[in-house]
Amino acid sequence: MTGDIQQQRGRRLSSWTTRRWLRVGVGASLVVLTLLGLTGAWVMGRSQAISNDLTDVRSPSLSTAFRLETALVNQETGIRGYGLTGTAEFLAPYRQGVADQRAHIRSLRELLDGDAARLQDLTSVQEAVDRWQEEVAEPVAGAPAGTPSPQEAERLANGKAAFDKVRAALENQQESLRADRVQARADLQSTVTLRNWVFSAIALLIVALGALVFEGLRRGINQPLDRLGADARIIAAGDFDHPITPTGPADLRRLSGEIESMRRRLVHELAFAEEARLRLDAQAADLQRSNAELEQFAYVASHDLQEPLRKVSSFTQLLKRRYGSQLDERADQYIDFAVDGANRMQTLISDLLNFSRVGRVHNAHQNIDLDRTFKESLSALSVAIEETGATITHDPLPELVADPSQMAMLWQNLIGNAVKFRRPGEAPRVHIAAAREDGLWRFTVTDNGIGIPPEYAEKIFVIFQRLHTKDTYSGSGIGLAMCKKIVEFHGGTITIDPDYRDGARITFTLAPEPPQIPGPSATPEDTRTEAEQAR
């Protein structure tokens, strides 16, 4: 039964929070300090009261009792001298003694007000004095002055016994007052000793409470927080499997438990992220291998298709030249269709090869003069420019780090499109603007052609996407897709200005030093294809 009660008590204490421990500790400390303070105040008040009684009552009362005795002795001396000599001068001490007696008795009554025993002693003295004065002093003092009479001498002799009673009452009063003063001094000394002990106990208890509070804070708050911080630093250093053990009050244990739960979730997330990374690495490796195989397949397929197409085109043209006169008009038309289709297919395959080699074969960044590259591109387009009467103007073009062959393809495609998609009966006018903006070079190619509808602003940069039939405008639909790939490879973007209505306006940016993106090295087949194209 006792064990169950202790377990229940332990569970209740373990559920206390830091705030509750602090409230209970502070409350208990305040109660103890309040009790000690009240005890100290009582001791101080008592010592002050005893000291006041000693200095204001007991000592003055004893002194006044001595003065009262002196006044009565003066009376007795004066009466005795008057009675023995009959000289009137002896009555002066008696009269003065009577006045002093009354004053001293009045003072004693004021000082001993409330002290019944001492007032009774004073009353006894007063009665003894009254009897002596009535029986001896007043009759002697009332006798005429002159020669002493035998009658007064006898009265004085009989009055000695009465005054002895006065002396005895005075001694009894003084002894009681002296005993009271001694007792008051003893009480004062014991009270001062008690006061010293009480205040020493208060000081020791305050020190003990301070040490207890410090130790409680150290064990209940500082140690759990230090341990929690040490565990957190170990986890922050990378040991995510290090567990956090909850210690301390309930709220600190709850905080430790929440951090432990967060650590477990973090471990779970890291394990999941690591697993996902491994899967992504495997997928990236598979994708890289697949892309390499796809590029190889695309090259082999397109390269191997060119030779049969050349044969088809060559032998179809040879068939037309040798047997054209022997066939009818429809057969000649069929032969023309076959030759045209083979040529278009060859052009499409060549453009597709060029598109696939952007960033893979053409990856020789160097410092080039775009103005010179632009003029070389115009020279390659000179026939089309001359036939259409096109006017090409441009702002001063900068120098930057880029691949020269890709820049040439970029200018040829953009200017070639501006010349090709012209309005009927109107000579093409093309202007290239260049400006530095936010650390990039922004170029604008503006023409007065047929323009591009805003809804096709994104579609035209997709490979093989055309806005017109091949009979209206020739081409493979790869030009602008190649431009987009070249610009992005050089760290820029390319867009259509949808607000321009007097033709088409294409804006693109180029970085002064584009990021170095490693690509697959050129295969022997790529090199051989470039050599064949050069021939």
Side-chain angles (χ1 to χ4, degrees), residues 459-479:
K459 183 179 179 180
I460 63 170
F461 293 107
V462 180
I463 191 171
F464 298 133
Q465 294 294 323
R466 297 173 55 90
L467 304 184
H468 309 280
T469 64
K470 61 180 179 296
D471 296 330
T472 306
Y473 293 98
S474 62
S476 60
I478 299 179

Side-chain angles (χ1 to χ4, degrees), residues 14 19 31 140 159 165 169 236 288 299 316 321 325 333 345 386 480-481 483 510:
S14 65
R19 181 177 297 178
V31 169
V140 173
K165 293 181 179 180
Q288 186 176 7
Y299 167 75
T316 303
R321 286 196 301 270
S325 59
Q333 187 179 9
M345 186 64 178
E386 185 178 352
L480 287 180
C483 292
L510 294 175

Side-chain angles (χ1 to χ4, degrees), residues 19 129 135 441 452 527:
R19 181 177 297 178
V129 171
E135 294 174 1
W441 280 102
I452 301 173
T527 307

Side-chain angles (χ1 to χ4, degrees), residues 486-530:
I486 292 172
V487 169
E488 291 179 348
F489 181 72
H490 286 77
T493 58
I494 185 168
T495 58
I496 297 294
D497 185 357
D499 299 327
Y500 189 72
R501 294 291 185 269
D502 297 332
R505 174 173 290 167
I506 298 179
T507 301
F508 65 94
T509 58
L510 294 175
E513 293 185 0
Q516 298 295 326
I517 303 177
S521 59
T523 62
E525 291 82 357
D526 293 324
T527 307
R528 187 177 64 212
T529 301
E530 290 185 329

Side-chain angles (χ1 to χ4, degrees), residues 62 91 191 245 304 342 377 503 532:
L62 185 58
L91 290 178
T191 304
T245 304
D304 291 347
S377 300
E532 292 174 355

